[in-house]
Amino acid sequence: MTASIWRALMAIGMKFHHFADPKPPSPNFKIIIPSRLSARGGQFRLVFYVPNEYFEAPEGYRWPVVVNFHGGGFTLGTGTDDARWASTIIRDVDAVFVSVEYRLAPEYPFSIGVEDGSDAVIYLASHAEELQLDPHSMALSGFSAGGNFAFTVPLMLHDLANDAGKRMLTEAHNLKESHKKSPSSSNNHLAPPNQIGSSSSANSSTHSLSRPNSSSSSRPNAIYTHSTNGSVFKLANLESTALEIQQALPEYTIKAIVSFYPPTDFRTSRAEKRPTNPQPEKNLPPLLTNLFDESYLHPIGSIDFRDPYLSPAAADDAFLRDAYPKDIILYTCEYDMLNAEGVAFGERLSHSSIGKMVHGGLVKGCVHAFDKKPNPIKFPEAADRIYGEACAELRRVFGGRSSLEERRQLSKSKTVDRFEDHVEGDRMLDVG
């Protein structure tokens, strides 16, 4: 089966997933941004979910922002797949949620997705003033393949900031008129960079999107206006920044990484990974994982599986220590071929040689992507709780309050073998 057929099937599954109550929100708006790091050039979309108060916030107010990468084996999925996670973020963390519609394999194989994710962080930090974001209160999150990006994007950004020479910012190429597409088209097509798509949901349509544009106002001069068809907004006068003028990196701070059931080590083959699941029949089928690998790792003979931009577990301790924030929130699933490598990576990050605070843990009795089941009746309680405790950690990281009970609520539904407990145990052994 081709990627296009699987994409259609996944789209149907996500419709069922989103149908269950409580229904997740639609995006508030979308922005098309240029690719600067990929040699392929082009553009891709950022999908925004914002708190209700976003459009009425006082002048100068800046929102924390969670930059998210959806799952789908680097081959499937869209920026709206994680709408339930977005809903929990804007409700419980009071932060802006930006889902990156990175370009998909096989049309865009490794390492274009990592480059798009890095471009997204750079763009948001550069235009934080207009978008009312706090560039020093950023977090990255992701699911499955997106969970890999949550770990690999900071490595690429660290190299870029330290002029490691592996990637460089370039001036975005202007697209010819014949290449322009509507923002409502597939995420792998190009669209005008100044167009912003909006859903027709009541949540987004009840807000006035115009912002003050006077010399006496300190609010950025960004104005959203309706297009002729009423479904598209344009950001009329976004100011050029040092990114556009000089290809200069902005200042920003990534305060946390949240990663759900990610692949972290491609040095181990699928054949070796499958038996690590105590119930191998619950692994994703080879038909699907073969499609993922053949699409993303293309051409296979040219891929170095030790590349940290692909396998973050292959990075040395110093690289991980310097590139990652102090707080890592990582969840793996017991009945998943990716569990063993995820647990090993989490334990390594929490070891004194790297010294990160790794929260979350191994969730017993769960399969890969258990929170994305196409169940139109009910969103799983365990999924709701895992989102809740991850948000409690983010709230703490961003300077808010959260109780230990909120950060451990998943234990009411599932047994969790937590990374923090391992660290405390090691400390007790060291003392003894």
Side-chain angles (χ1 to χ4, degrees):
M1 296 176 68
T2 64
S4 59
I5 294 175
W6 278 110
R7 287 171 188 165
L9 292 173
M10 183 169 177
I12 295 171
M14 293 310 301
K15 284 185 180 296
F16 281 108
H17 171 70
H18 289 156
F19 190 77
D21 289 326
K23 293 180 176 60
S26 297
N28 294 94
F29 57 90
K30 303 177 185 180
I31 297 178
I32 309 298
I33 73 168
S35 165
R36 294 177 182 276
L37 293 174
S38 172
R40 293 277 293 271
Q43 295 176 317
F44 59 96
R45 285 187 284 192
L46 304 181
V47 181
F48 283 72
Y49 297 81
V50 302
N52 290 333
E53 299 79 12
Y54 175 82
F55 295 102
E56 288 81 32
E59 293 179 5
Y61 187 83
R62 296 292 177 262
W63 299 86
V65 57
V66 177
V67 184
N68 183 73
F69 309 103
H70 66 80
F74 311 98
T75 306
L76 316 176
T78 71
T80 58
D81 288 351
D82 299 323
R84 291 192 182 279
W85 170 234
S87 178
T88 313
I89 290 287
I90 61 178
R91 183 193 69 213
D92 293 356
V93 186
D94 205 25
V96 168
F97 183 93
V98 182
S99 185
V100 181
E101 283 200 340
Y102 56 89
R103 291 169 292 176
L104 301 175
E107 296 89 343
Y108 299 93
F110 174 78
S111 59
I112 294 175
V114 191
E115 291 157 352
D116 286 353
S118 301
D119 265 324
V121 173
I122 292 168
Y123 184 91
L124 291 168
S126 295
H127 291 277
E129 186 177 7
E130 296 97 326
L131 296 169
Q132 297 179 268
L133 306 177
D134 181 353
H136 294 291
S137 291
M138 304 183 81
L140 306 184
S141 71
F143 296 78
S144 192
N148 173 274
F149 288 154
F151 280 127
T152 55
V153 164
L155 302 180
M156 183 173 287
L157 290 172
H158 182 268
D159 277 345
L160 194 63
N162 289 275
D163 198 22
K166 296 181 180 179
R167 299 293 187 282
M168 62 179 293
L169 284 173
T170 58
E171 186 174 358
H173 300 289
N174 293 324
L175 296 174
K176 296 180 180 180
E177 191 70 26
S178 61
H179 288 280
K180 295 181 180 179
K181 300 286 184 180
S182 165
S184 62
S185 62
S186 168
N187 75 310
N188 281 328
H189 293 291
L190 305 179
N194 65 338
Q195 285 191 342
I196 297 179
S198 172
S199 72
S200 58
S201 67
N203 184 48
S204 60
S205 64
T206 56
H207 291 295
S208 171
L209 296 182
S210 296
R211 295 180 180 176
N213 184 19
S214 65
S215 58
S216 61
S217 174
S218 62
R219 187 182 292 274
N221 295 331
I223 299 178
Y224 298 83
T225 57
H226 282 283
S227 70
T228 53
N229 64 13
S231 62
V232 175
F233 292 95
K234 292 184 179 180
L235 193 56
N237 56 340
L238 195 67
E239 296 289 337
S240 294
T241 69
L243 173 64
E244 286 80 18
I245 298 170
Q246 302 169 337
Q247 286 72 62
L249 286 173
E251 293 185 358
Y252 60 89
T253 305
I254 297 174
K255 289 195 168 183
I257 292 172
V258 186
S259 186
F260 298 90
Y261 40 83
T264 59
D265 197 342
F266 282 83
R267 295 172 298 178
T268 305
S269 70
R270 295 280 185 179
E272 294 171 299
K273 292 179 181 183
R274 288 183 177 279
T276 64
N277 183 344
Q279 296 191 17
E281 69 278 5
K282 294 185 177 180
N283 284 322
L284 294 178
L287 180 67
L288 193 55
T289 56
N290 289 344
L291 171 69
F292 294 161
D293 294 346
E294 291 167 5
S295 297
Y296 189 54
L297 307 176
H298 180 80
I300 191 69
S302 69
I303 301 297
D304 181 0
F305 297 120
R306 300 166 299 175
D307 189 334
Y309 298 165
L310 176 67
S311 300
D316 62 40
D317 288 354
F319 195 5
L320 298 176
R321 184 172 57 248
D322 294 343
Y324 286 170
K326 176 182 178 181
D327 286 281
I328 309 289
I329 304 161
L330 170 62
Y331 292 96
T332 69
C333 302
E334 181 181 19
Y335 300 143
D336 181 5
M337 73 176 82
L338 302 179
N339 178 58
E341 65 193 80
V343 169
F345 193 51
E347 291 178 344
R348 181 183 166 203
L349 292 174
S350 64
H351 190 270
S352 58
S353 60
I354 297 178
K356 302 303 178 183
M357 297 294 295
V358 185
H359 317 281
L362 187 168
V363 186
K364 298 295 185 71
C366 283
V367 299
H368 188 84
F370 72 96
D371 59 315
K372 297 295 191 299
K373 290 182 178 179
N375 183 347
I377 306 300
K378 190 178 187 301
F379 186 54
E381 180 183 3
D384 191 46
R385 291 188 182 279
I386 201 172
Y387 287 6
E389 70 174 41
C391 282
E393 293 288 2
L394 282 177
R395 192 164 63 249
R396 175 189 58 79
V397 167
F398 287 145
R401 294 188 177 187
S402 65
S403 66
L404 179 61
E405 182 180 8
E406 289 174 311
R407 301 195 301 271
R408 296 292 186 101
Q409 60 184 281
L410 179 58
S411 300
K412 297 180 179 179
S413 303
K414 291 287 183 179
T415 301
V416 186
D417 189 1
R418 297 189 179 275
F419 294 109
E420 299 102 321
D421 297 337
H422 287 187
V423 172
E424 290 301 320
D426 291 341
R427 288 172 180 167
M428 291 176 64
L429 289 173
D430 291 340
V431 172

